[in-house]
């Protein structure tokens, strides 16, 4: 075969190590606004109980984003441990995925410190939607390139259905959080319905 026709592929070890490092840094950055708030509270002589009350929004946004990033990473790790080679296209799909992960600490800080409005909800939940779409794109790519991983096609299809279900629920949560203010970010609890919606999508496909 002509050398020029051989597709470029990369070993997955460095790719996964790099991804794990970037995700770990992003998760660590989530705590920085709270550390700054501790310093500010100390300078003002605020008691611990008052500090926790003042920063309750930051605490909630930190925990929420930490859990979401951890969930995204666990799914990513579960999939890529069975990927044998990385193509340039798959690499760039994951660079896009990492971009959304690295950006998430910014809207998280907005969520904890700024008044809730439609733009803030769009930026925060919109970032989560982009992360989920990047995850879905990677699975669709692996479905079309079966030689890259030993993941059964049916497992990838189930994963795609789950990603589509999550995107749908994120979109509904975005509408509720942006324009139904008493509900706000509690709308993200809709994600508990991912499983039932995924099963419904699979039944429709069949």
């Amino acid at each position: 075969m002509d050398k020029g026709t051989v597709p470029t592929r990369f070993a997955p070890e460095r790719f996964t190590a790099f991804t794990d490092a970037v995700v770990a840094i992003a998760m660590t950055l989530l705590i920085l606004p709270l550390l700054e708030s501790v310093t500010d509270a100390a300078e003002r002589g605020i008691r611990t109980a008052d500090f926790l009350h003042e920063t309750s929004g930051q605490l909630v946004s930190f925990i929420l984003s930490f859990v979401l990033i951890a969930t995204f990473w666990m799914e990513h790790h579960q999939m890529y441990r069975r990927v044998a080679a990385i193509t340039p296209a798959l690499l760039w799909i994951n660079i896009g995925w990492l971009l959304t992960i690295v950006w998430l600490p910014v809207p998280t800080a907005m969520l904890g410190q700024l008044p809730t409005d439609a733009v803030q909800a769009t930026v925060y939940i919109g970032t989560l939607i982009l992360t989920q779409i990047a995850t879905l794109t990677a699975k669709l790519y692996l479905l079309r390139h079966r030689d890259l991983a030993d993941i059964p096609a049916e497992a990838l299809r189930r994963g795609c259905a789950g990603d589509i279900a999550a995107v749908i629920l994120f979109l509904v949560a975005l509408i509720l959080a942006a324009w139904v203010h008493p509900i706000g970010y509690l709308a993200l609890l809709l994600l508990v319905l991912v499983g039932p919606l995924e099963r419904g999508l699979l039944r429709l496909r069949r």
Side-chain angles (χ1 to χ4, degrees):
M1 181 183 290
D2 189 329
K3 273 189 161 183
T5 65
V6 177
T8 303
R9 295 189 178 186
F10 308 97
E13 290 79 12
R14 290 188 64 187
F15 162 77
T16 52
F18 173 75
T19 300
D20 291 349
V22 172
V23 171
I25 292 170
M27 295 177 78
T28 303
L29 289 175
L30 292 172
I31 199 68
L32 291 184
L34 276 168
L35 293 177
E36 293 173 1
S37 296
V38 170
T39 302
D40 178 65
E43 291 175 352
R44 291 186 290 136
I46 293 178
R47 298 172 65 88
T48 301
D50 295 328
F51 166 77
L52 292 174
H53 177 72
E54 281 188 8
T55 59
S56 58
Q58 288 178 271
L59 287 166
V60 171
S61 64
F62 162 71
I63 293 170
L64 176 62
S65 294
F66 191 92
V67 170
L68 286 168
I69 290 179
T71 302
F72 283 129
W73 175 81
M74 284 187 283
E75 182 180 10
H76 188 279
H77 172 72
Q78 184 71 15
M79 180 168 61
Y80 281 91
R81 69 186 181 87
R82 302 181 67 175
V83 173
I86 305 293
T87 63
L90 190 57
L91 184 63
W92 279 108
I93 289 170
N94 282 276
I95 292 296
W97 183 86
L98 285 173
L99 175 61
T100 66
I101 296 294
V102 171
W103 166 252
L104 192 59
V106 177
T108 298
M110 295 179 187
L111 173 61
Q113 301 179 62
L114 302 178
T116 300
D117 56 34
V119 176
Q120 181 194 100
T122 301
V123 172
Y124 183 77
I125 301 180
T127 300
L128 301 176
I129 291 171
L130 291 175
T131 307
Q132 199 71 63
I133 289 174
T135 303
L136 171 62
T137 304
K139 289 174 185 170
L140 291 172
Y141 184 85
L142 290 174
L143 262 176
R144 291 180 60 87
H145 300 81
R146 303 293 300 119
D147 59 316
L148 294 178
D150 65 348
I151 307 172
E154 188 56 35
L156 285 171
R157 292 189 186 98
R158 284 199 304 271
C160 289
D163 292 337
I164 293 170
V167 169
I168 292 170
L169 293 173
F170 273 133
L171 285 170
V172 175
L174 171 56
I175 293 169
L176 293 175
W179 290 284
V180 185
H181 295 297
I183 295 177
Y185 292 99
L186 288 174
L188 288 170
L189 293 174
L190 285 170
L191 291 173
V192 300
L193 300 175
V194 165
L197 184 54
E198 173 191 334
R199 290 191 289 273
L201 290 172
L202 288 171
R203 282 196 295 271
L204 284 174
R205 172 180 167 271
R206 295 192 186 101

